Amino acid sequence: SLYEGVAKRNVLKGKYKDALTANTQVLSFRKSLSDLPGIGRAYEAIAETSFKMGYYAEALDNCIKAEAIQSQLATAQNIDYAST
């Protein structure tokens, strides 16, 4: 989506606050579509940006959310990522 591109550009420019805002908008958009893979990627992007900003607890929280979605998707596809 447009916001994903904006977020990536802002990360490259070191504008992490703007990137976090854009990634949050991506998350809202993906949730409105019930797009689980997109929601997972948005949580990962938020985690990465949060980590770069020094918001470690928020980064960890979003990593956990992304992992939960990955597990849900893997279960739906009958894939065991833990054993790979």
Side-chain angles (χ1 to χ4, degrees):
S1 76
L2 171 66
Y3 287 116
E4 287 169 318
V6 169
K8 287 177 185 177
R9 281 192 301 279
N10 283 326
V11 167
L12 291 173
K13 293 179 181 180
K15 297 181 177 182
Y16 300 126
K17 186 175 180 180
D18 293 337
L20 191 58
T21 299
N23 281 322
T24 302
Q25 291 170 324
V26 169
L27 178 61
S28 294
F29 176 69
R30 295 297 179 191
K31 282 182 174 181
S32 75
L33 298 175
S34 298
D35 173 13
L36 282 182
I39 293 167
R41 287 190 306 273
Y43 278 130
E44 289 172 355
I46 291 169
E48 179 182 334
T49 304
S50 296
F51 185 83
K52 289 181 178 185
M53 295 174 73
Y55 300 155
Y56 303 118
E58 184 177 335
L60 179 60
D61 182 53
N62 283 285
C63 280
I64 291 168
K65 290 176 183 177
E67 176 62 29
I69 289 174
Q70 288 290 352
S71 294
Q72 185 178 357
L73 291 169
T75 300
Q77 297 174 6
N78 199 22
I79 299 171
D80 183 5
Y81 285 112
S83 67
T84 58

